[in-house]
Amino acid sequence: QVHLVESGGGLVQAGGSLRLSCAASGRTDKRYRLGWFRQRPGRDREFVTAISWSAGSTNYAPSVLGRFTIDRDNADNTMWLQMNSLRVEDTATYYCTAGDDYRGSPYRNTSYDYWGQGTQVTVSS
């Protein structure tokens, strides 16, 4: 059992930056795939980015490629999402997620086993 807690959300102006963190607790030795999804108002939850815990291989949604960066800190059992050049369309609830294996597509939320409660990011004009 893994528990995830996000932090770092808030209000930022367009063009600015935010750094989201995700702290893991519980059985952190069984953790392979990590990621971030987001849900914008009136839309389905969508893939943002993913990373493998050990190798650090990453995947990014086209809409955030070059602006967002995902990474993890094994010593602290945390991962983070650095968001730069934020746009109004990035406004959403962001969810931290983790999976016990690499089965399935990293782009689908059904490939993950644990979810955080979500943190709100609001980008203003």
Side-chain angles (χ1 to χ4, degrees):
Q1 185 81 302
V2 176
H3 300 277
L4 304 175
V5 180
E6 304 99 331
S7 63
L11 176 65
V12 65
Q13 292 187 91
S17 299
L18 276 178
R19 182 185 177 96
L20 306 183
S21 296
C22 178
S25 61
R27 191 174 178 179
T28 57
D29 62 313
K30 188 177 176 62
R31 187 169 71 248
Y32 297 93
R33 179 180 287 163
L34 312 171
W36 293 88
F37 284 71
R38 69 184 181 187
Q39 188 163 17
R40 293 182 283 176
R43 306 186 182 211
D44 294 333
R45 190 173 299 186
E46 63 183 300
F47 171 82
V48 176
T49 182
I51 187 171
S52 61
W53 182 260
S54 58
S57 301
T58 57
N59 297 274
Y60 292 94
S63 60
V64 306
L65 184 65
R67 299 189 298 119
F68 291 10
T69 302
I70 186 173
D71 208 346
R72 75 275 187 263
D73 188 332
N74 292 347
D76 293 338
N77 289 316
T78 60
M79 69 164 169
W80 49 261
L81 178 66
Q82 180 66 44
M83 304 185 294
N84 299 324
S85 301
L86 282 163
R87 306 165 180 169
V88 173
E89 63 193 36
D90 294 319
T91 295
T93 301
Y94 284 74
Y95 297 90
C96 172
T97 188
D100 288 336
D101 54 55
Y102 291 109
R103 289 181 294 173
S105 171
Y107 306 102
R108 297 183 177 181
N109 55 22
T110 54
S111 299
Y112 302 86
D113 302 292
Y114 314 101
W115 295 86
Q117 79 288 348
T119 186
Q120 179 66 37
V121 172
T122 302
V123 184
S124 62
S125 300

